[in-house]
Amino acid sequence: MTQYSNPDLTQREIIESSILAIETMMEKADEAAAEAEAHRAQPVDFMTSQIISQHVSMQNGTKFQLQSELTRLKNIIAVWDGEEPTATGTPTMPTAPLN
């Protein structure tokens, strides 16, 4: 943790700001996936359906990466606070649609 965009902030402030950014991006990924899926309420041709699926898949991949980064950042705070960090690993695909 050596390169920060604002050297006037503490490391903790930067990590907390990063957590907020990641959480916001996760919400936006959910919204984008839901908006794409909503197009299936209308009849669409096969290729359009495939493109929608690809778009939703990309949003899920984005969420996996964001979740990993969120865990990493929260673990930094946990260590600073003397708490046990969360185990890291590969995020799993939810069984229910993203919302």
Side-chain angles (χ1 to χ4, degrees):
M1 299 188 329
T2 59
Q3 296 185 8
Y4 297 113
S5 59
N6 186 341
D8 295 329
L9 298 176
T10 66
Q11 286 183 338
R12 186 178 195 100
E13 289 170 324
I14 291 169
I15 296 296
E16 289 171 346
S17 177
S18 296
I19 288 171
L20 181 59
I22 294 293
E23 290 172 341
T24 300
M25 287 186 284
M26 289 176 73
E27 291 172 14
K28 295 298 182 186
D30 282 341
E31 290 172 13
E35 288 172 6
E37 282 293 344
H39 291 291
R40 293 186 203 260
Q42 305 298 323
V44 294
D45 72 359
F46 177 77
M47 285 305 298
T48 301
S49 181
Q50 293 296 326
I51 291 169
I52 291 170
S53 295
Q54 183 180 20
H55 181 71
V56 171
S57 178
M58 289 184 326
Q59 296 307 315
N60 286 333
T62 297
K63 278 210 55 181
F64 289 161
Q65 288 181 306
L66 291 170
Q67 184 60 52
S68 293
E69 179 62 2
L70 182 62
T71 300
R72 185 186 76 82
L73 293 170
K74 286 185 174 183
N75 280 344
I76 291 170
I77 298 285
V79 169
W80 287 344
D81 290 347
E83 299 170 1
E84 189 69 28
T86 302
T88 59
T90 304
T92 57
M93 180 75 169
T95 55
L98 297 174
N99 48 4

